[in-house]
Amino acid sequence: MHTRRPSILNSFVLAFGAVALVAALALADPAVTVRYAQGVPQIELEGSYPQSRYAVYRARSADEPGERITAQHVLCLERCFAPDPAAEPGRTYWYRFELTLADGGRAVFGPYPITISPELAARLAISVMPNPVRDGAMIELRIGGTGEPFVRADAAVLDLAGRHVRTLASGRLPRGTTSIRWDGRDDAGHAIAPGAYFVRLATPLGTRVERLLRLR
């Protein structure tokens, strides 16, 4: 009896430890990943939460409530994620996901410390969809970073020689993404000739240029 007690005690300790480990894993928050689409960081919660609704909050420290960077109730289809065009490259933020599950329950994950990549997150970004362009395109101008909510900006279509073709925006643009529908015409209302052009976004934060190809 005396020689078996340590074995029984050890078995109990191992079994208890295994149960505690499983419980801890079950309670652990899922991981998050960060992707960069046209220079805009997207914070994505790993796992599947079909038909759930969620909101994402960003804070500057773990003990702050932060500000919401999504709509109040975003429907989670294939994945739960939040683009954060106002995130400043090189800065560390804390992100929190609040979910209302399909069965009515609630779940809170985070906060997660995420450092925004200075190399991948651009302060300025331009997206042209589709590109090449045939009849027209949706041009998205992105101004990131923090500070004043509006930034002086001039956006235009230029030819290969740098000559002005069409004004897209001139004045104060909000931080984040501004979508502009371009009809493939110049300032005079004429359809521009097929060929290569540039979209230029100029601001006090810098200048961004994106190539555009016009088809027949």
Side-chain angles (χ1 to χ4, degrees), residues 41-45 52-59 65-76 79-86 95-100:
Q42 295 184 350
I43 317 302
E44 181 177 339
L45 184 68
S52 298
R53 294 187 177 274
Y54 68 99
V56 182
Y57 295 81
R58 180 194 65 211
E67 61 177 325
R68 193 175 70 244
I69 61 171
T70 61
Q72 181 64 48
H73 299 291
V74 181
L75 182 62
C76 189
R79 55 198 178 104
C80 300
F81 72 96
D84 193 1
Y95 292 90
R96 185 178 79 256
F97 285 74
E98 295 188 358
L99 280 71
T100 300

Short mmCIF file of all heavy atoms in Angstrom, two decimals, residues 41-45 52-59 65-76 79-86 95-100:
data_model
loop_
_atom_site.label_atom_id
_atom_site.label_comp_id
_atom_site.label_asym_id
_atom_site.label_seq_id
_atom_site.Cartn_x
_atom_site.Cartn_y
_atom_site.Cartn_z
N PRO A 41 -4.83 48.05 -43.38
CA PRO A 41 -4.81 46.86 -42.52
C PRO A 41 -6.21 46.34 -42.24
O PRO A 41 -7.14 47.11 -42.01
CB PRO A 41 -4.14 47.36 -41.23
CG PRO A 41 -4.34 48.84 -41.24
CD PRO A 41 -4.38 49.26 -42.67
N GLN A 42 -6.37 45.02 -42.29
CA GLN A 42 -7.64 44.36 -41.98
C GLN A 42 -7.38 43.38 -40.83
O GLN A 42 -6.57 42.47 -40.98
CB GLN A 42 -8.21 43.63 -43.19
CG GLN A 42 -8.59 44.57 -44.33
CD GLN A 42 -9.24 43.84 -45.50
OE1 GLN A 42 -9.25 42.61 -45.54
NE2 GLN A 42 -9.78 44.59 -46.42
N ILE A 43 -8.09 43.55 -39.73
CA ILE A 43 -7.94 42.71 -38.56
C ILE A 43 -9.02 41.63 -38.62
O ILE A 43 -10.21 41.94 -38.64
CB ILE A 43 -8.09 43.52 -37.26
CG1 ILE A 43 -7.33 44.85 -37.36
CG2 ILE A 43 -7.64 42.71 -36.06
CD1 ILE A 43 -5.87 44.72 -37.64
N GLU A 44 -8.60 40.37 -38.68
CA GLU A 44 -9.54 39.26 -38.89
C GLU A 44 -9.48 38.28 -37.73
O GLU A 44 -8.41 37.86 -37.29
CB GLU A 44 -9.22 38.54 -40.19
CG GLU A 44 -10.17 37.39 -40.49
CD GLU A 44 -9.88 36.73 -41.82
OE1 GLU A 44 -9.24 37.39 -42.68
OE2 GLU A 44 -10.28 35.58 -42.02
N LEU A 45 -10.65 37.90 -37.23
CA LEU A 45 -10.78 36.93 -36.15
C LEU A 45 -10.82 35.53 -36.75
O LEU A 45 -11.63 35.25 -37.64
CB LEU A 45 -12.06 37.19 -35.36
CG LEU A 45 -12.31 36.33 -34.12
CD1 LEU A 45 -11.30 36.65 -33.03
CD2 LEU A 45 -13.74 36.54 -33.61
N SER A 52 -23.53 35.32 -37.04
CA SER A 52 -23.31 36.16 -35.87
C SER A 52 -23.20 37.61 -36.33
O SER A 52 -22.94 37.90 -37.49
CB SER A 52 -22.03 35.75 -35.13
OG SER A 52 -22.12 34.42 -34.66
N ARG A 53 -23.39 38.52 -35.39
CA ARG A 53 -23.17 39.94 -35.65
C ARG A 53 -22.08 40.43 -34.71
O ARG A 53 -21.99 39.96 -33.59
CB ARG A 53 -24.47 40.73 -35.48
CG ARG A 53 -25.51 40.35 -36.53
CD ARG A 53 -26.74 41.23 -36.49
NE ARG A 53 -27.66 40.88 -37.56
CZ ARG A 53 -27.62 41.35 -38.79
NH1 ARG A 53 -26.67 42.23 -39.12
NH2 ARG A 53 -28.49 40.98 -39.71
N TYR A 54 -21.27 41.36 -35.20
CA TYR A 54 -20.10 41.73 -34.43
C TYR A 54 -19.75 43.20 -34.60
O TYR A 54 -20.18 43.86 -35.56
CB TYR A 54 -18.90 40.86 -34.83
CG TYR A 54 -18.39 41.12 -36.23
CD1 TYR A 54 -17.28 41.94 -36.45
CD2 TYR A 54 -19.00 40.54 -37.35
CE1 TYR A 54 -16.79 42.17 -37.73
CE2 TYR A 54 -18.53 40.77 -38.62
CZ TYR A 54 -17.42 41.58 -38.81
OH TYR A 54 -16.95 41.82 -40.08
N ALA A 55 -18.99 43.70 -33.66
CA ALA A 55 -18.40 45.03 -33.73
C ALA A 55 -16.95 44.91 -33.27
O ALA A 55 -16.61 44.06 -32.45
CB ALA A 55 -19.17 46.02 -32.85
N VAL A 56 -16.09 45.75 -33.83
CA VAL A 56 -14.67 45.72 -33.50
C VAL A 56 -14.27 47.08 -32.96
O VAL A 56 -14.65 48.13 -33.50
CB VAL A 56 -13.82 45.37 -34.74
CG1 VAL A 56 -12.34 45.30 -34.37
CG2 VAL A 56 -14.27 44.05 -35.34
N TYR A 57 -13.50 47.06 -31.86
CA TYR A 57 -13.06 48.28 -31.20
C TYR A 57 -11.53 48.35 -31.22
O TYR A 57 -10.85 47.34 -31.09
CB TYR A 57 -13.54 48.31 -29.75
CG TYR A 57 -15.05 48.38 -29.62
CD1 TYR A 57 -15.82 47.23 -29.75
CD2 TYR A 57 -15.69 49.59 -29.39
CE1 TYR A 57 -17.20 47.29 -29.65
CE2 TYR A 57 -17.07 49.65 -29.28
CZ TYR A 57 -17.82 48.50 -29.41
OH TYR A 57 -19.19 48.57 -29.30
N ARG A 58 -11.03 49.57 -31.37
CA ARG A 58 -9.58 49.81 -31.36
C ARG A 58 -9.23 50.77 -30.24
O ARG A 58 -9.89 51.80 -30.07
CB ARG A 58 -9.13 50.41 -32.69
CG ARG A 58 -7.62 50.68 -32.75
CD ARG A 58 -7.28 51.57 -33.94
NE ARG A 58 -7.88 52.88 -33.76
CZ ARG A 58 -8.29 53.64 -34.77
NH1 ARG A 58 -8.20 53.21 -36.01
NH2 ARG A 58 -8.81 54.84 -34.54
N ALA A 59 -8.20 50.42 -29.45
CA ALA A 59 -7.76 51.27 -28.34
C ALA A 59 -6.25 51.44 -28.42
O ALA A 59 -5.55 50.66 -29.07
CB ALA A 59 -8.16 50.66 -27.00
N PRO A 65 -11.39 51.41 -23.23
CA PRO A 65 -12.50 50.81 -23.96
C PRO A 65 -12.34 50.93 -25.47
O PRO A 65 -12.81 50.08 -26.23
CB PRO A 65 -13.73 51.59 -23.46
CG PRO A 65 -13.16 52.90 -22.98
CD PRO A 65 -11.81 52.58 -22.43
N GLY A 66 -11.69 51.98 -25.93
CA GLY A 66 -11.44 52.15 -27.35
C GLY A 66 -12.63 52.71 -28.10
O GLY A 66 -13.69 52.97 -27.54
N GLU A 67 -12.46 52.87 -29.41
CA GLU A 67 -13.53 53.36 -30.27
C GLU A 67 -13.90 52.30 -31.29
O GLU A 67 -13.07 51.52 -31.74
CB GLU A 67 -13.08 54.64 -31.00
CG GLU A 67 -11.87 54.46 -31.90
CD GLU A 67 -11.52 55.73 -32.65
OE1 GLU A 67 -12.44 56.48 -33.01
OE2 GLU A 67 -10.32 55.97 -32.87
N ARG A 68 -15.18 52.29 -31.66
CA ARG A 68 -15.66 51.29 -32.60
C ARG A 68 -15.22 51.67 -34.01
O ARG A 68 -15.36 52.80 -34.43
CB ARG A 68 -17.19 51.20 -32.54
CG ARG A 68 -17.75 49.98 -33.25
CD ARG A 68 -19.25 49.85 -33.07
NE ARG A 68 -19.96 50.89 -33.80
CZ ARG A 68 -20.70 51.83 -33.23
NH1 ARG A 68 -20.81 51.88 -31.92
NH2 ARG A 68 -21.31 52.74 -33.96
N ILE A 69 -14.67 50.71 -34.76
CA ILE A 69 -14.21 50.97 -36.12
C ILE A 69 -15.08 50.25 -37.15
O ILE A 69 -14.77 50.27 -38.34
CB ILE A 69 -12.73 50.57 -36.31
CG1 ILE A 69 -12.52 49.07 -36.05
CG2 ILE A 69 -11.84 51.39 -35.40
CD1 ILE A 69 -11.13 48.58 -36.42
N THR A 70 -16.15 49.61 -36.71
CA THR A 70 -17.12 48.98 -37.61
C THR A 70 -18.49 49.57 -37.32
O THR A 70 -18.68 50.32 -36.35
CB THR A 70 -17.19 47.47 -37.40
OG1 THR A 70 -17.61 47.21 -36.04
CG2 THR A 70 -15.85 46.80 -37.63
N ALA A 71 -19.46 49.21 -38.15
CA ALA A 71 -20.84 49.51 -37.81
C ALA A 71 -21.21 48.74 -36.55
O ALA A 71 -20.52 47.80 -36.15
CB ALA A 71 -21.76 49.14 -38.97
N GLN A 72 -22.32 49.10 -35.94
CA GLN A 72 -22.69 48.50 -34.66
C GLN A 72 -22.95 47.01 -34.78
O GLN A 72 -22.54 46.23 -33.93
CB GLN A 72 -23.95 49.19 -34.11
CG GLN A 72 -24.41 48.66 -32.76
CD GLN A 72 -23.40 48.92 -31.66
OE1 GLN A 72 -22.89 50.02 -31.53
NE2 GLN A 72 -23.09 47.91 -30.87
N HIS A 73 -23.63 46.58 -35.83
CA HIS A 73 -24.00 45.17 -35.96
C HIS A 73 -23.67 44.71 -37.38
O HIS A 73 -24.51 44.77 -38.27
CB HIS A 73 -25.48 44.95 -35.66
CG HIS A 73 -25.86 45.34 -34.27
ND1 HIS A 73 -25.45 44.65 -33.16
CD2 HIS A 73 -26.61 46.37 -33.81
CE1 HIS A 73 -25.94 45.22 -32.07
NE2 HIS A 73 -26.65 46.26 -32.44
N VAL A 74 -22.45 44.25 -37.59
CA VAL A 74 -22.02 43.73 -38.89
C VAL A 74 -22.30 42.23 -38.92
O VAL A 74 -21.95 41.51 -38.00
CB VAL A 74 -20.52 43.99 -39.12
CG1 VAL A 74 -20.09 43.48 -40.48
CG2 VAL A 74 -20.21 45.48 -38.96
N LEU A 75 -22.94 41.78 -40.00
CA LEU A 75 -23.23 40.36 -40.13
C LEU A 75 -21.97 39.60 -40.53
O LEU A 75 -21.30 39.95 -41.50
CB LEU A 75 -24.32 40.13 -41.18
CG LEU A 75 -24.76 38.68 -41.41
CD1 LEU A 75 -25.35 38.09 -40.14
CD2 LEU A 75 -25.76 38.59 -42.56
N CYS A 76 -21.63 38.58 -39.75
CA CYS A 76 -20.45 37.76 -40.02
C CYS A 76 -20.87 36.62 -40.94
O CYS A 76 -21.63 35.73 -40.54
CB CYS A 76 -19.89 37.21 -38.71
SG CYS A 76 -18.29 36.41 -38.89
N ARG A 79 -16.30 35.27 -42.65
CA ARG A 79 -15.27 35.64 -41.68
C ARG A 79 -15.64 36.96 -41.02
O ARG A 79 -16.39 37.76 -41.59
CB ARG A 79 -13.89 35.75 -42.35
CG ARG A 79 -13.85 36.69 -43.53
CD ARG A 79 -12.63 36.46 -44.41
NE ARG A 79 -12.61 37.32 -45.58
CZ ARG A 79 -11.82 38.38 -45.70
NH1 ARG A 79 -11.01 38.70 -44.72
NH2 ARG A 79 -11.84 39.11 -46.78
N CYS A 80 -15.13 37.17 -39.83
CA CYS A 80 -15.35 38.41 -39.09
C CYS A 80 -14.07 39.24 -39.17
O CYS A 80 -13.03 38.81 -38.67
CB CYS A 80 -15.70 38.12 -37.63
SG CYS A 80 -17.19 37.11 -37.38
N PHE A 81 -14.13 40.39 -39.81
CA PHE A 81 -12.93 41.21 -39.95
C PHE A 81 -13.32 42.69 -39.97
O PHE A 81 -14.49 43.04 -40.15
CB PHE A 81 -12.16 40.86 -41.23
CG PHE A 81 -12.85 41.31 -42.48
CD1 PHE A 81 -12.49 42.51 -43.09
CD2 PHE A 81 -13.85 40.56 -43.06
CE1 PHE A 81 -13.13 42.94 -44.25
CE2 PHE A 81 -14.49 40.97 -44.22
CZ PHE A 81 -14.13 42.16 -44.81
N ALA A 82 -12.33 43.53 -39.77
CA ALA A 82 -12.56 44.97 -39.79
C ALA A 82 -11.40 45.67 -40.47
O ALA A 82 -10.26 45.55 -40.01
CB ALA A 82 -12.71 45.50 -38.36
N PRO A 83 -11.63 46.39 -41.57
CA PRO A 83 -10.58 47.24 -42.13
C PRO A 83 -10.39 48.46 -41.23
O PRO A 83 -11.35 48.99 -40.67
CB PRO A 83 -11.14 47.62 -43.50
CG PRO A 83 -12.62 47.48 -43.37
CD PRO A 83 -12.87 46.41 -42.37
N ASP A 84 -9.15 48.91 -41.11
CA ASP A 84 -8.86 50.06 -40.24
C ASP A 84 -8.00 51.06 -41.00
O ASP A 84 -6.78 51.16 -40.78
CB ASP A 84 -8.16 49.59 -38.96
CG ASP A 84 -8.12 50.68 -37.91
OD1 ASP A 84 -8.64 51.77 -38.17
OD2 ASP A 84 -7.56 50.44 -36.83
N PRO A 85 -8.61 51.82 -41.92
CA PRO A 85 -7.83 52.75 -42.73
C PRO A 85 -7.21 53.89 -41.94
O PRO A 85 -6.27 54.53 -42.40
CB PRO A 85 -8.85 53.28 -43.75
CG PRO A 85 -10.17 53.07 -43.09
CD PRO A 85 -10.04 51.83 -42.28
N ALA A 86 -7.71 54.18 -40.73
CA ALA A 86 -7.16 55.27 -39.93
C ALA A 86 -5.98 54.84 -39.07
O ALA A 86 -5.37 55.67 -38.40
CB ALA A 86 -8.25 55.87 -39.04
N TYR A 95 -7.06 45.59 -30.21
CA TYR A 95 -8.34 45.36 -30.89
C TYR A 95 -9.20 44.37 -30.09
O TYR A 95 -8.69 43.37 -29.58
CB TYR A 95 -8.12 44.82 -32.30
CG TYR A 95 -7.49 45.84 -33.24
CD1 TYR A 95 -6.11 45.94 -33.35
CD2 TYR A 95 -8.29 46.68 -33.99
CE1 TYR A 95 -5.54 46.88 -34.20
CE2 TYR A 95 -7.72 47.63 -34.84
CZ TYR A 95 -6.35 47.72 -34.94
OH TYR A 95 -5.79 48.65 -35.78
N ARG A 96 -10.50 44.65 -30.03
CA ARG A 96 -11.44 43.79 -29.31
C ARG A 96 -12.64 43.49 -30.19
O ARG A 96 -13.18 44.39 -30.84
CB ARG A 96 -11.91 44.49 -28.03
CG ARG A 96 -12.80 43.64 -27.14
CD ARG A 96 -13.18 44.37 -25.86
NE ARG A 96 -14.25 45.35 -26.07
CZ ARG A 96 -14.08 46.65 -26.13
NH1 ARG A 96 -12.86 47.17 -26.00
NH2 ARG A 96 -15.10 47.47 -26.31
N PHE A 97 -13.01 42.21 -30.25
CA PHE A 97 -14.19 41.76 -31.01
C PHE A 97 -15.33 41.47 -30.04
O PHE A 97 -15.15 40.71 -29.08
CB PHE A 97 -13.88 40.50 -31.81
CG PHE A 97 -13.04 40.72 -33.03
CD1 PHE A 97 -11.68 40.97 -32.92
CD2 PHE A 97 -13.60 40.68 -34.29
CE1 PHE A 97 -10.90 41.17 -34.05
CE2 PHE A 97 -12.82 40.90 -35.43
CZ PHE A 97 -11.47 41.13 -35.30
N GLU A 98 -16.49 42.05 -30.28
CA GLU A 98 -17.69 41.76 -29.50
C GLU A 98 -18.72 41.13 -30.44
O GLU A 98 -19.14 41.76 -31.42
CB GLU A 98 -18.25 43.02 -28.86
CG GLU A 98 -17.32 43.61 -27.81
CD GLU A 98 -17.95 44.76 -27.04
OE1 GLU A 98 -19.12 45.11 -27.35
OE2 GLU A 98 -17.30 45.30 -26.12
N LEU A 99 -19.12 39.89 -30.15
CA LEU A 99 -20.01 39.13 -31.02
C LEU A 99 -21.34 38.86 -30.33
O LEU A 99 -21.39 38.57 -29.13
CB LEU A 99 -19.39 37.79 -31.41
CG LEU A 99 -18.36 37.77 -32.54
CD1 LEU A 99 -17.06 38.42 -32.10
CD2 LEU A 99 -18.11 36.34 -33.01
N THR A 100 -22.42 38.97 -31.11
CA THR A 100 -23.72 38.43 -30.72
C THR A 100 -23.92 37.20 -31.58
O THR A 100 -24.08 37.30 -32.80
CB THR A 100 -24.84 39.45 -30.97
OG1 THR A 100 -24.58 40.62 -30.18
CG2 THR A 100 -26.18 38.87 -30.54
#
